[in-house]
Amino acid sequence: MNIKRIIPCLDVRDGKVVKGINFVGIKEVGDPVECAMEYNKQGADEIVFLDINATHEGRGTMLDVVRRTVQNLTVPLTVGGGIRNVDDFHELLRAGAAKVSVNSAAIKNPELLSEAASRFGSQCVVAAIDGKKTAKDKGYNVYVNGGRIDTGLDVVKWAEEAERLGVGEILLTSMDADGTKEG
């Protein structure tokens, strides 16, 4: 049986929800806590927060925003951005996140996925994958650092490896379709 779940993904930058098209032209659209509460009220099954500049800026996710949001939701919150190690997983889970989503750090150190899955359970570990069509349109490559760096890794191969390493979910974003309503 196929079950459709509604999972809004809120990109957060500088404490505000932002929206762009194809990872560019980013504009502020609201407060993350208020946006999450509205989606919760409208019947979302889960909410995802991605702190899109955390890795690029070399900092962790804004834990205060996570805490304030969790206090106002009745659905699970998945959080990503700025994850560097299992201690960051621990801090986000302690702040109330149900799951932690990781991209750049997992590419740099794939064993982070298995270490986190072993410590917290696969259900808490989400591999975030930002994919973009290759120049010759022969597949999709994985991008890191908020879509700034092409790793040259094939999206499907990386997703299979992430699954082998123990992730419970994969959050795939098509950079080509992001914000276009063609996803």
Side-chain angles (χ1 to χ4, degrees):
M1 169 167 54
N2 289 332
I3 298 173
K4 293 185 180 182
R5 297 176 62 220
I6 306 298
I7 306 173
C9 184
L10 304 175
D11 291 343
V12 179
R13 179 182 73 184
D14 300 326
K16 298 288 183 186
V17 174
V18 296
K19 193 68 194 139
I21 297 175
N22 305 121
F23 283 43
V24 295
I26 295 173
K27 298 176 183 167
E28 287 185 9
V29 296
D31 176 75
V33 178
E34 290 174 11
C35 289
M37 288 170 57
E38 183 59 29
Y39 280 122
N40 186 85
K41 181 177 155 190
Q42 291 180 22
D45 296 297
E46 182 176 337
I47 309 284
V48 176
F49 270 10
L50 298 176
D51 190 337
I52 62 171
N53 276 4
T55 297
H56 179 67
E57 294 172 357
R59 62 170 173 76
T61 304
M62 292 179 240
L63 293 174
D64 60 320
V65 175
V66 173
R67 285 186 195 101
R68 286 193 334 248
T69 303
V70 169
Q71 291 172 352
N72 290 284
L73 295 182
T74 59
V75 297
L77 179 67
T78 298
V79 181
I83 313 306
R84 297 167 297 239
N85 53 50
V86 292
D87 292 335
D88 292 335
F89 274 81
H90 186 247
E91 288 301 313
L92 283 166
L93 294 170
R94 282 187 48 212
K99 303 173 197 168
V100 177
S101 174
V102 62
N103 180 5
S104 300
I107 296 293
K108 290 178 188 172
N109 175 18
E111 292 305 314
L112 174 61
L113 298 174
S114 53
E115 187 179 348
S118 174
R119 186 165 168 194
F120 306 111
S122 291
Q123 78 284 354
C124 293
V125 183
V126 178
I129 302 174
D130 295 334
K132 186 175 182 181
K133 286 182 187 173
T134 60
K136 296 183 181 181
D137 223 9
K138 294 188 177 191
Y140 292 82
N141 280 357
V142 175
Y143 279 69
V144 295
N145 207 308
R148 292 174 181 86
I149 300 170
D150 181 354
T151 66
L153 292 172
D154 177 78
V155 165
V156 174
K157 288 180 182 171
W158 173 239
E160 291 171 342
E161 177 67 6
E163 180 182 28
R164 186 190 69 73
L165 290 165
V167 302
E169 292 183 18
I170 294 174
L171 173 63
L172 177 61
T173 301
S174 167
M175 292 175 64
D176 303 293
D178 177 65
T180 66
K181 299 182 182 176
E182 300 289 325

